Amino acid sequence: MNDSVHTFVTDSPEQAARYINNGGIVAFPTETVYGLGAGIDHPEAIERIFSAKGRPQDNPLIVHIAFPDDIVNVSIRLTPDAETLVRHFFPGPLTIVVKKKPCVPASVTAGLDTVGIRCPSSTKARELLRRCTSPVAAPSANLSGRPSSTNWKTVLEDLDGKIDCILKGEACEIGLESTIVECSGTTPQLLRAGAVTLEALQAVTPSIVADSTTPEQHTPRSPGLKYAHYAPTARIVTIRCDRSTPFLQGIASAAYIGLSDPPAEGFTLVRRCATLDEYAHALFGFFRYCDERGITTIYCELPADKGLGRAIRDRLVRAANSH
Ligand code: TXA
Ligand code: MG
């Protein structure tokens, strides 16, 4: 497919599944963000996912399944903690990393012997997945380094002509990517914060540890964490509104997003969120909207480091470090 050919947009899971089953690549909604999927038994389609996104080859893809029990088709062995997490959080916004079966190709896992597996809860995603003849490998449906897409229009903006089909759905309910837990060893480890919070994970697997890897370290446990992420063109500045905020300069072409009232007057755009859920839901769309409006700096309030606040902070800090 070349750039002069447009991507087919549909709201029919049947049509979208037909593309995947015939070796195409399809963007689809989930409760976290949009994914860009291909059947794991279609190596050329997997390759096209990497080229459409401009994604580095050493960054593995998450494999999506329609039903929690399907995990046995892609994983050789589940630790007791992995079983507990599947029981509590599948289907939902959690990815677990486990030892892979040989049917999962190295191109999906970037040569690792583990695979990230997720069973989304979104009805549209499951209607698609249950019609696919194999599990579906899917990264987020955005150009590499850009904020993840939380609605189909921004998928089209990034990937029109590069992918075969977009399955349209509602805007993604959560708005941030799934929580990732490494579960292949003895101690489960949180690799990426998300809507399944550390507190919720600890309630059922008390031994879980939070990953101490920083983006600057060379070989983080999750390969994708070493890349620039979630970044709009505008510069991201994180602020704490509960402290005395330093005088903000040049806010004429600046925007603010956060839970508190803006710390100064004169922002071009202000998005005040009533709850953490709303903040997560709005964040990536706001980043993209700010770019459209020519905003040069986005001031973002850092929420407290607990619950969903941990995931929002993670994305804000990575976006701020991307510049
Ligand atoms: O919510 C989500 O997780 C979305 C939807 C579409 O499911 N997907 C998503 O995929 O965010 P992506 O590719 O943007 O992020 C997946 C992350 C990457 O950082 C990647 O390195 C990590 O998961 N990952 C995948 N397989 C892994 C593995 N075997 N071991 C460690 N990390 C892995
Ligand atoms: Mg991504």
Side-chain angles (χ1 to χ4, degrees):
M1 178 172 267
N2 65 49
D3 284 354
S4 63
V5 178
H6 287 290
T7 294
F8 181 72
V9 180
T10 178
D11 53 17
S12 155
E14 287 90 348
Q15 272 182 322
R18 217 169 298 137
Y19 276 101
I20 289 189
N21 294 336
N22 288 329
I25 61 175
V26 174
F28 61 98
T30 81
E31 70 278 19
T32 57
V33 299
Y34 269 74
L36 175 59
I40 63 166
D41 53 352
H42 288 283
E44 282 169 18
I46 302 288
E47 250 177 58
R48 278 184 60 213
I49 287 182
F50 284 90
S51 54
K53 281 182 56 96
R55 182 176 175 101
Q57 296 284 342
D58 65 350
N59 194 3
L61 310 181
I62 293 172
V63 170
H64 296 70
I65 53 178
F67 303 98
D69 289 347
D70 292 346
I71 194 167
V72 298
N73 300 331
V74 275
S75 145
I76 47 172
R77 170 178 59 83
L78 292 184
T79 61
D81 282 328
E83 277 177 3
T84 302
L85 292 176
V86 168
R87 204 167 52 245
H88 280 89
F89 300 112
F90 276 26
L94 175 73
T95 297
I96 62 169
V97 173
V98 295
K99 293 282 184 211
K100 78 174 190 75
K101 272 198 168 155
C103 65
V104 184
S107 55
V108 168
T109 63
L112 299 174
D113 65 352
T114 56
V115 58
I117 302 171
R118 182 157 114 74
C119 178
S121 59
S122 132
T123 308
K124 210 69 186 255
R126 298 188 79 194
E127 293 217 334
L128 170 71
L129 293 170
R130 72 185 174 81
R131 290 177 170 86
C132 292
T133 48
S134 71
V136 171
S140 51
N142 51 280
L143 290 175
S144 231
R146 296 277 296 150
S148 296
S149 282
T150 52
N151 68 76
W152 69 270
K153 288 198 174 136
T154 61
V155 177
L156 198 64
E157 198 177 285
D158 275 13
L159 299 169
D160 191 15
K162 296 180 172 167
I163 67 176
D164 300 304
C165 172
I166 296 175
L167 174 60
K168 272 200 289 189
E170 301 292 306
C172 302
E173 191 188 333
I174 294 167
L176 299 180
E177 306 82 354
S178 62
T179 304
I180 304 181
V181 177
E182 149 70 42
C183 264
S184 66
T186 44
T187 311
Q189 192 174 15
L190 178 70
L191 298 184
R192 181 173 75 185
V196 175
T197 62
L198 181 60
E199 293 83 351
L201 293 165
Q202 280 167 335
V204 297
T205 50
S207 62
I208 190 166
V209 292
D211 188 9
S212 56
T213 327
T214 66
E216 288 73 32
Q217 280 175 282
H218 201 60
T219 50
R221 297 285 296 277
S222 189
L225 300 184
K226 69 174 180 278
Y227 295 110
H229 257 103
Y230 321 114
T233 306
R235 188 169 65 104
I236 300 296
V237 177
T238 58
I239 54 173
R240 293 279 305 268
C241 295
D242 56 341
R243 301 235 180 108
S244 56
T245 308
F247 178 70
L248 301 176
Q249 276 183 321
I251 61 171
S253 61
Y256 165 80
I257 184 168
L259 296 162
S260 311
D261 284 328
E265 285 178 6
F267 288 106
T268 304
L269 288 175
V270 170
R271 180 73 164 86
R272 182 158 182 252
C273 307
T275 60
L276 286 171
D277 286 347
E278 189 185 329
Y279 197 169
H281 180 78
L283 186 64
F284 289 149
F286 188 73
F287 279 179
R288 283 176 178 265
Y289 182 58
C290 286
D291 279 351
E292 257 172 52
R293 295 280 309 267
I295 297 291
T296 54
T297 307
I298 309 171
Y299 292 89
C300 306
E301 183 182 14
L302 277 180
D305 196 13
K306 57 182 187 218
L308 187 58
R310 184 185 300 268
I312 297 171
R313 283 176 75 99
D314 169 75
R315 305 313 188 268
L316 292 178
V317 169
R318 284 178 202 286
N321 286 342
S322 290
H323 289 275

